[in-house]
Amino acid sequence: MGGFAATNEDILQNILFRLPASSFASAACVNKSWNKVCDTVLAYPKFATALSLNPSLPDAVKEVLDKVLSEPIRPQFAIASIGLQFSLEAAHQLITQKLDSKVSIVTSTACGIIGRDAITDKMKEVRWYMIPELEGSVSREFVEEFNRGILLIIGYLPGLKVDAIPLLRPKMGPRVTLVSKFLMDIKNYTASVSDTIAPEAMIMFGDQLVDLNHVLAEIDYAMPGDTVIAGDACSRFIYKSGHNSQAYNSDLYFFDAVALVFANDKNKPDDIGETQFHATMSTGVLSIGPELRAITVASKGSECSWLTMSLNGSDQILYSQRIFEDICGEKENEPGCFYIGVVKKRPSCIEQEKMELRTYLVFYEVIEANAEYLVVEGAGIQPGDTFQFYRSETALASETWRNSEGIDVLNPGSCYGYHYYRDSEGGVGNGGVFGGLLFSSQYCEETYFDSYPVYPNIPPTPLAGLFCAREIGRDFDTGPEEEEEEEEEESPARCSLHVCSSVFLLFYYEPPSPNL
């Protein structure tokens, strides 16, 4: 009798494994026996993505939802990235209506998307930051359809809790970004669901009108080195929390950023394995010339800054145009953008009583260099800040991808390279990478896919990505713990907000021990 029951359970599991998500959810409610089998089917993490370039928003949303919900899944979080011609509010509403109220959702605009087409299953990569140059006039219909499309990502990570937590700025009174509250909200949420106060990972989305450099510097100091942080710093977004009972009134607050926070579940059974996060980054800028120092700085609001400079250690003001031309002359026959990387040493905005300085690197795009001034985009530079010139190097970005240890984890010969999968009978394969999320610069100039070094290595694994104006990616080589060990040498300036680079976040599954 026991063998017959076990056979029936295997048949039921095989049937349930083939159901779409909505039917699967209904089946889980039939009785306790079916619910137990459904739990077995979803005992492992799942990452599902789909892309649609359908110019109709309702049709595009339907296509990606149908694709990601075509198999059993209980989504904990969703990320939707849309083209600029689509309505952010309408897209968010269509997605939230279809998903469960407990799903944390972030819908944002993007400069482009990467993923597999929901209809053809072909890998596609589309950039929207500019309209292609065509001979003759460009029709209005072409322009409207050019910036239309959607990428949808949903994830189910058993053993983890996920919620969306906003970074607030009051509309009344001092309009200061509430970084301390943001960190406290993250730690409080993590402590409520986990045995620690630090999350495993954070995926952040920032408002395009807000400078997040100082915020990310504070987060970098506050979070332990093994907390992975990645995201898009320059977008428009709407979010919905899946669990946070404290809803913030948009009439009272600006939302400068939102973070999807991934924390270990303190009630996780020992036999379900562990989801881990691994991140790597390609470097798309190369430092050029000597270290310089800002002497005088004048700013026009937050738009741009004029500065004079000297060699670091000297007070003699240099001719900005001559310095810039000397640096450009090294690469005068190649295209590319120029930046200055400014090392900022600023007091903490949340621990002022400790009198500690936050040291971090901020990139500013060069607009102009005349005889007297260097003009850069953005504000926040102070006299005495040191900096170097940087130039975007597409070849360097490609080379760092290929030599990256993070990409090596995708190779079958590495300890991480065994792909997690389910076969056609619902059987469980080995643990390994089960999803990847790429945040790539819109300024990369490669003629092939920016994701090319990545996706051929993981054909069975869902891969998605979006193009950003500024990529959030924590320095992964060293964390605060390593920096504290350096007693004599000054800690290097760390960078969490990048230009002309790509940040790749891997979702990795470690199966439970066979002895459990």
Side-chain angles (χ1 to χ4, degrees):
M1 186 70 179
F4 179 75
T7 301
N8 283 343
E9 185 171 301
D10 289 341
I11 295 174
L12 178 60
Q13 179 176 341
N14 186 275
I15 294 172
L16 293 174
F17 177 75
R18 301 171 189 273
L19 294 178
S22 57
S23 300
F24 181 84
S26 299
C29 299
V30 171
N31 55 45
K32 290 184 178 179
S33 176
W34 280 40
N35 184 269
K36 181 179 178 181
V37 177
C38 288
D39 288 341
T40 302
V41 172
L42 288 182
Y44 302 89
K46 195 165 186 179
F47 187 83
T49 76
L51 174 151
S52 173
L53 300 178
N54 195 313
S56 165
L57 176 60
D59 292 344
V61 171
K62 183 179 186 303
E63 288 178 5
V64 294
L65 280 169
D66 287 348
K67 180 63 175 180
V68 299
L69 298 177
S70 62
E71 296 180 356
I73 192 170
R74 292 171 181 161
Q76 294 171 298
F77 70 93
I79 299 172
S81 299
I82 66 171
L84 302 177
Q85 291 294 330
F86 277 159
S87 166
L88 185 63
E89 293 76 11
H92 186 71
Q93 183 177 10
L94 287 170
I95 294 167
T96 53
Q97 288 173 348
K98 186 69 174 180
L99 298 179
D100 188 272
S101 61
K102 294 182 180 180
V103 180
S104 297
I105 304 172
V106 177
T107 306
S108 70
T109 58
C111 300
I113 51 179
I114 303 168
R116 295 195 179 274
D117 188 275
I119 304 300
T120 67
D121 202 38
K122 292 183 178 179
M123 196 72 182
K124 290 186 177 179
E125 180 173 305
V126 182
R127 305 188 191 195
W128 290 317
Y129 67 95
M130 64 179 295
I131 297 176
E133 295 182 3
L134 298 177
E135 294 183 3
S137 61
V138 178
S139 68
R140 179 178 179 182
E141 292 77 11
F142 175 83
V143 173
E144 289 180 349
E145 292 189 10
F146 181 73
N147 286 322
R148 292 173 181 262
I150 183 171
L151 170 73
L152 181 62
I153 303 160
I154 62 173
Y156 171 66
L157 310 176
L160 290 179
K161 295 289 187 179
V162 188
D163 201 8
I165 298 177
L167 171 63
L168 305 174
R169 181 161 46 98
K171 290 185 176 181
M172 304 297 292
R175 296 186 179 182
V176 179
T177 300
L178 303 179
V179 184
S180 179
K181 175 174 175 52
F182 182 55
L183 287 169
M184 187 59 65
D185 287 346
I186 292 172
K187 291 180 178 181
N188 286 342
Y189 168 72
T190 306
S192 70
V193 300
S194 181
D195 292 325
T196 67
I197 62 172
E200 298 300 302
M202 294 166 54
I203 300 178
M204 292 185 62
F205 294 85
D207 187 273
Q208 59 189 350
L209 301 178
V210 178
D211 182 2
L212 290 182
N213 277 288
H214 74 287
V215 175
L216 293 170
E218 292 290 355
I219 294 173
D220 189 39
Y221 274 80
M223 295 294 171
D226 54 0
T227 296
V228 175
I229 304 172
D232 179 0
C234 295
S235 66
R236 292 173 52 240
F237 66 86
I238 300 177
Y239 84 96
K240 182 187 79 67
S241 171
H243 303 281
N244 194 341
S245 59
Q246 185 176 11
Y248 295 104
N249 191 335
S250 60
D251 293 332
L252 301 178
Y253 295 100
F254 293 107
F255 300 104
D256 285 352
V258 65
L260 281 172
V261 178
F262 299 81
N264 276 321
D265 184 359
K266 59 185 174 184
N267 298 317
K268 180 189 75 171
D270 294 332
D271 59 349
I272 66 171
E274 180 182 2
T275 296
Q276 301 173 0
F277 300 86
H278 299 270
T280 188
M281 185 179 69
S282 71
T283 301
V285 289
L286 180 68
S287 62
I288 304 174
E291 185 176 63
L292 303 164
R293 181 164 56 94
I295 302 299
T296 62
V297 182
S299 299
K300 181 182 178 181
S302 60
E303 297 179 3
C304 52
S305 299
W306 289 261
L307 58 145
T308 60
M309 69 185 81
S310 71
L311 289 172
N312 192 26
S314 171
D315 293 327
Q316 182 180 358
I317 296 179
L318 303 174
Y319 290 104
S320 299
Q321 187 174 15
R322 181 178 299 175
I323 289 291
F324 187 63
E325 288 177 350
D326 288 345
I327 292 172
C328 291
E330 298 179 18
K331 302 287 184 178
E332 60 182 359
N333 296 321
E334 299 179 22
C337 297
F338 288 88
Y339 301 83
I340 59 170
V342 181
V343 176
K344 294 189 176 183
K345 298 181 180 181
R346 303 289 188 266
S348 170
C349 63
I350 62 175
E351 296 180 323
Q352 299 179 0
E353 70 282 355
K354 291 187 177 181
M355 301 298 291
E356 291 184 359
L357 296 178
R358 303 294 190 241
T359 302
Y360 52 101
L361 181 66
V362 180
F363 288 100
Y364 293 83
E365 185 172 354
V366 175
I367 299 175
E368 178 188 358
N370 55 45
E372 187 175 1
Y373 294 104
L374 178 72
V375 186
V376 298
E377 185 178 15
I381 305 173
Q382 295 181 2
D385 287 343
T386 59
F387 65 91
Q388 271 189 290
F389 280 96
Y390 286 78
R391 183 184 183 278
S392 64
E393 290 279 356
T394 304
L396 176 64
S398 300
E399 187 66 21
T400 53
W401 262 138
R402 288 168 173 76
N403 295 331
S404 170
E405 292 181 1
I407 297 300
D408 285 345
V409 306
L410 303 174
N411 297 325
S414 74
C415 60
Y416 295 116
Y418 299 100
H419 299 297
Y420 162 74
Y421 66 95
R422 284 180 175 273
D423 59 29
S424 59
E425 301 300 321
V428 178
N430 294 316
V433 176
F434 64 90
L437 183 53
L438 181 67
F439 297 92
S440 189
S441 170
Q442 65 173 350
Y443 299 113
C444 292
E445 299 171 355
E446 288 290 359
T447 55
Y448 57 81
F449 283 167
D450 188 73
S451 53
Y452 178 79
V454 180
Y455 82 83
N457 295 303
I458 50 173
T461 305
L463 168 69
L466 54 150
F467 289 102
C468 320
R470 289 291 179 97
E471 313 82 55
I472 297 174
R474 194 178 191 187
D475 277 340
F476 305 117
D477 295 334
T478 58
E481 292 85 351
E482 288 84 351
E483 291 181 1
E484 291 174 0
E485 295 177 0
E486 299 179 7
E487 298 180 358
E488 298 182 0
E489 296 185 6
E490 184 178 1
S491 299
R494 293 167 57 81
C495 182
S496 295
L497 192 53
H498 304 273
V499 294
C500 302
S501 299
S502 295
V503 178
F504 190 40
L505 177 62
L506 289 170
F507 297 80
Y508 175 81
Y509 174 66
E510 180 70 33
S513 171
N515 298 325
L516 294 177

